[in-house]
Amino acid sequence: IFVAMALTAPAFAQRGALTVPRNLDQLTHRSAIILRGTVISAHVEKHPELSGLNTVVVTLRVKETLKGQASSTFRFRQYIWDIRDGKNAAGYQKGQDLLLMMIEPSRYGLSSPAGLDQGRFVISRDSTGREFAVNGHGNMKLFDGISAQVAAKGIPLSPRTSSLVQKHLKGPVELRDLTALIRELAQAGQ
């Protein structure tokens, strides 16, 4: 029985770290910088000071900054939680269009998207050119409790945004709606 359990354990392993589900307001609040950009490079390397840590170093060409300050290129170093992520640079790929909600770097220069995959949105386009964003959790719980939070902050929502936060359960969200709401939340949090 022990051998059977040991052989099947890897099949049920959780890839990456477990995180508490966070909604868009919480992710925005935790983020020091929120930006949209295209991945220029992503490579795995040991941390320069903490040689036992594997990290991925990601460089993006910044298209837009929604919160904080970023120059035309943005670079960050993220700890690799799972050794399997070392084989694919933790899923960051050259040419990838991303919206990242980045936390403040640690004293060791390590950063990551807020809520890990929750604050990392891949942007895609449909056949008509409309842009959509989806995070690593399929946008599940992204808008949970948002209506009450924006009401408490006095943020008026357009009918379109109000409908989105009340009805959306999971799946891609139109990028223009997501970025508009992020800007509102970031401005209210200042």
Side-chain angles (χ1 to χ4, degrees):
I1 293 174
F2 175 77
V3 173
M5 287 175 56
L7 292 174
T8 59
F12 298 106
Q14 171 70 34
R15 190 158 191 181
L18 295 176
T19 56
V20 173
R22 305 219 184 261
N23 69 22
L24 190 62
D25 185 47
Q26 294 163 330
L27 292 170
T28 301
H29 179 72
R30 287 206 17 95
S31 301
I33 295 175
I34 302 174
L35 59 86
R36 177 185 176 186
T38 303
V39 177
I40 297 170
S41 67
H43 64 277
V44 174
E45 67 181 32
K46 295 286 186 187
H47 190 280
E49 295 173 54
L50 307 169
S51 60
L53 293 183
N54 287 323
T55 64
V56 60
V57 178
V58 182
T59 306
L60 297 105
R61 184 178 321 101
V62 177
K63 293 181 181 179
E64 179 180 21
T65 304
L66 305 172
K67 180 182 177 183
Q69 306 245 343
S71 62
S72 61
T73 58
F74 180 79
R75 184 177 184 200
F76 67 96
R77 179 183 299 272
Q78 181 176 324
Y79 171 63
I80 295 180
W81 297 94
D82 188 304
I83 61 170
R84 294 173 289 180
D85 286 334
K87 293 181 171 101
N88 69 353
Y92 293 98
Q93 301 169 9
K94 185 176 181 177
Q96 203 173 31
D97 193 2
L98 299 174
L99 173 71
L100 297 175
M101 305 179 84
M102 300 298 298
I103 62 171
E104 189 73 33
S106 73
R107 67 181 185 177
Y108 296 107
L110 295 169
S111 187
S112 68
L116 297 177
D117 279 347
Q118 295 174 74
R120 175 177 158 181
F121 296 83
V122 175
I123 299 169
S124 61
R125 288 165 193 77
D126 69 8
S127 60
T128 66
R130 291 186 317 164
E131 296 177 310
F132 291 87
V134 64
N135 68 16
H137 290 215
N139 292 341
M140 288 183 65
K141 300 186 184 271
L142 189 63
F143 300 112
D144 282 7
I146 292 285
S147 294
Q149 289 170 319
V150 297
K153 293 178 181 188
I155 301 172
L157 296 180
S158 69
R160 179 182 170 103
T161 305
S162 181
S163 176
L164 172 68
V165 300
Q166 289 175 8
K167 295 179 181 175
H168 188 273
L169 298 177
K170 65 179 180 176
V173 175
E174 199 160 346
L175 182 63
R176 68 181 177 140
D177 296 332
L178 182 64
T179 57
L181 185 53
I182 289 171
R183 285 183 195 280
E184 291 287 341
L185 294 168
Q187 187 174 5
Q190 292 179 352

